[in-house]
Amino acid sequence: MGKVAVGAAVVCAAAVCAAAALVVRHRMKSSGRWARAMAILREFEDKCGTPIGKLRQVADAMTVEMHAGLASEGGSKLKMLISYVDNLPTGDEQGLFYALDLGGTNFRVIRVQLGGKEKRVVKQEFDEVSIPPNLMTGTSEALFDFIAEALAKFVATEGEGFHPAPGRQRELGFTFSFPVWQTSIASGTLIKWTKGFNIEDAVEQDVVGELTKSVEKIGLDMRVTALVNDTIGTLAGGRYHNQDVIAAVILGTGTNAAYVERAHAIPKWHGLLPKSGEMVINMEWGNFRSSHLPLTEYDQALDAESLNPGDQIFEKIISGMYLGDIVRRVLCKMAEEASFFGDVVPPKLKVPFILRTPDMSAMHHDTSPDLRVVGSKLKDILEISNTSLKMRKVVVALCDIVATRGARLSAAGIMGVLKKLGRDTVKEGEKQKSVVALDGGLYEHYTEFRTSMESTLKELLGDEVAEHISVEHSNDGSGIGAALLAASHSQYLEVEES
């Protein structure tokens, strides 16, 4: 019996030792995995670094590219498109004006009654219309007929408080947020479709001409007096409320900037100089690139797999379309190389764009002690359950790295524009204020991004200059801005002035 007992004891002891060894090995393995995951995070953080010196280099590069893009067509990655907007609203505009805002799967029709300096926007109304998917890939005629019908329906509901001037055509500002080669204030040729549209017979056509044909076909007496994009609409809306507005930036799904340039500072402009001496430039700054941009392997992979490799590099590291996906790509590498979420890589983590920037923002702003929002987002979107607090903290840190880089680079871009306009210094005895109008969901809803961008801009400008520069949210520039530009470019202005 004794031998059996001893044997059993030895077997038990061996089993305990083996189990202990397994635990130790598991701990060593998991601490090794953890160390590897942390190394991936730290390396990513280093590569995303935006020290102030680097941001100054980015701002200088932006200014240099702006000069190059204004000097000649194709002279720079920045298109620096001439918008033909040479009269921004002053606040004196009066009358009833319409706007059409087409930039995605919905479009809006808007009307405003303007009452001059005293009354400003007396009344406004809008209606939103969904575009049937078949029209997004059909014919130009079918799409513009559909839009014209919606416009006519909207005009028919003109009620009290809206007063069309007798004997005059209704005038419309058309916000068309697709790449267009502008040929005058009220004409422009479509370069290519984006955002899921693909109507081949509209490419290289004048979009105002296409809309006008459809409007005339149904007997609607309306004329397009301004064709603009959403960034210029934001600039117009900002300037209407504040005459110190000199530039506008959109930070949303995509990103762009527009600003007011002195007409004689545009070497590629060969027309007559406008009476105002000014011209609004649509920078298309999403396409900016520079060797100073802090790009990582994840950004390079995202770009290579995108629909437009090599293009829109600035947009791909600062805008809402992409930030969430950069976070996903880093998490995916942690899962693959450090088994961050266990032995199996969660399949959902391999799906591009499954993690959207609003979800990233919700995780980044999670203040609950157990980071409950982070846990539920990982579970609901990526089907990753049982995450520890330690893991959730890593996810928040990752969101912070990606958002901070984007925000600080956005500030450097704005600094580049201010430098080009000579607004980055204060001259003796000058009290000139400069305001940048901002719009877009990323700026409006992602608080950490916004505060980081604003504090970085102050840091770049320095305290003294920062007192003279402010950033203001210009809500719904693309809608009301287009109506204001229809007013400031009205065909009846000359009649009134004479």
Side-chain angles (χ1 to χ4, degrees), residues 43-337:
E43 184 192 6
F44 180 62
E45 187 170 23
D46 288 347
K47 290 265 168 68
C48 285
T50 48
I52 206 74
K54 183 177 266 294
L55 293 178
R56 291 198 190 289
Q57 290 175 315
V58 171
D60 289 345
M62 181 69 82
T63 310
V64 167
E65 289 298 320
M66 288 172 76
H67 278 283
L70 290 172
S72 63
E73 293 304 348
S76 159
K77 274 278 184 190
L78 292 180
K79 287 202 172 72
M80 302 300 283
L81 301 172
I82 291 166
S83 71
Y84 294 86
V85 170
D86 53 8
N87 283 317
L88 282 168
T90 59
D92 293 324
E93 294 76 17
Q94 294 194 30
L96 170 62
F97 295 93
Y98 277 79
L100 164 64
D101 183 1
L102 174 63
T105 50
N106 296 345
F107 65 88
R108 286 184 311 154
V109 282
I110 299 137
R111 62 172 147 250
V112 292
Q113 185 73 38
L114 302 174
K117 272 275 191 287
E118 294 303 306
K119 296 182 183 162
R120 294 288 172 150
V121 178
V122 180
K123 196 171 179 187
Q124 60 172 309
E125 289 179 345
F126 76 92
D127 195 12
E128 192 152 330
V129 184
S130 289
I131 299 172
N134 61 310
L135 290 184
M136 293 170 64
T137 53
T139 66
S140 178
E141 185 180 13
L143 175 69
F144 286 107
D145 281 359
F146 180 78
I147 292 169
E149 291 283 356
L151 261 174
K153 261 188 215 152
F154 186 60
V155 169
T157 62
E158 227 168 53
E160 273 182 45
F162 292 103
H163 308 292
R168 288 186 174 185
Q169 273 184 307
R170 285 179 180 80
E171 294 182 306
L172 174 87
F174 184 9
T175 303
F176 186 75
S177 301
F178 299 93
V180 160
W181 187 260
Q182 196 103 12
T183 44
S184 75
I185 181 63
S187 60
T189 304
L190 176 63
I191 297 170
K192 64 173 179 192
W193 289 105
T194 53
K195 308 177 208 179
F197 282 78
N198 188 13
I199 302 170
E200 284 175 20
D201 67 345
V203 177
E204 296 186 5
Q205 297 301 312
D206 172 15
V207 291
V208 175
E210 295 296 291
L211 177 61
T212 303
K213 275 192 298 204
S214 294
V215 162
E216 286 174 351
K217 201 191 300 180
I218 57 171
L220 177 59
D221 194 20
M222 183 179 267
R223 173 174 171 162
V224 177
T225 56
L227 172 69
V228 295
N229 76 358
D230 51 355
T231 318
I232 290 167
T234 299
L235 179 60
R239 173 69 72 96
Y240 182 71
H241 295 293
N242 185 338
Q243 290 295 301
D244 294 328
V245 168
I246 51 154
V249 174
I250 302 265
L251 286 165
T253 307
T255 182
N256 193 12
Y259 73 102
V260 184
E261 184 57 276
R262 300 175 308 281
H264 62 74
I266 311 171
K268 69 180 179 183
W269 171 259
H270 300 305
L272 290 169
L273 285 183
K275 261 195 293 201
S276 65
E278 295 182 334
M279 178 60 74
V280 173
I281 298 294
N282 166 18
M283 290 175 61
E284 292 292 338
W285 87 350
N287 209 36
F288 170 68
R289 70 181 308 168
S290 154
S291 59
H292 299 298
L293 291 176
L295 296 172
T296 68
E297 60 184 272
Y298 310 98
D299 302 300
Q300 277 147 359
L302 183 152
D303 176 50
E305 292 164 28
S306 70
L307 295 171
N308 52 351
D311 286 341
Q312 302 296 102
I313 298 299
F314 194 49
E315 180 166 85
K316 285 170 184 166
I317 52 177
I318 72 172
S319 87
M321 174 88 187
Y322 303 99
L323 299 182
D325 202 56
I326 299 167
V327 171
R328 177 195 67 81
R329 285 169 182 275
V330 183
L331 286 175
C332 196
K333 175 152 179 176
M334 286 177 163
E336 287 170 349
E337 296 191 8

Side-chain angles (χ1 to χ4, degrees), residues 29-45:
K29 194 174 170 189
S30 68
S31 72
R33 286 169 170 183
W34 185 259
R36 176 72 190 118
M38 290 308 92
I40 291 170
L41 184 71
R42 272 195 301 276
E43 184 192 6
F44 180 62
E45 187 170 23

Side-chain angles (χ1 to χ4, degrees), residues 341-421:
F341 296 112
D343 292 335
V344 180
V345 176
K348 284 278 200 284
L349 205 46
K350 294 188 170 182
V351 180
F353 297 104
I354 192 168
L355 185 64
R356 295 163 52 252
T357 301
D359 299 313
M360 165 191 172
S361 169
M363 294 194 292
H364 194 173
H365 294 108
D366 188 359
T367 52
S368 61
D370 59 346
L371 296 176
R372 199 167 43 251
V373 177
V374 178
S376 67
K377 290 283 180 197
L378 293 174
K379 185 167 179 285
D380 297 345
I381 299 162
L382 299 170
E383 294 175 4
I384 301 168
S385 41
N386 309 330
T387 48
S388 66
L389 182 58
K390 206 160 76 155
M391 289 160 88
R392 292 173 190 187
K393 283 181 173 168
V394 169
V395 174
V396 174
L398 191 49
C399 294
D400 190 61
I401 294 165
V402 173
T404 301
R405 176 183 68 165
R408 286 174 67 82
L409 289 171
S410 306
I414 293 172
M415 182 67 178
V417 177
L418 292 170
K419 279 177 87 90
K420 170 72 181 73
L421 292 171

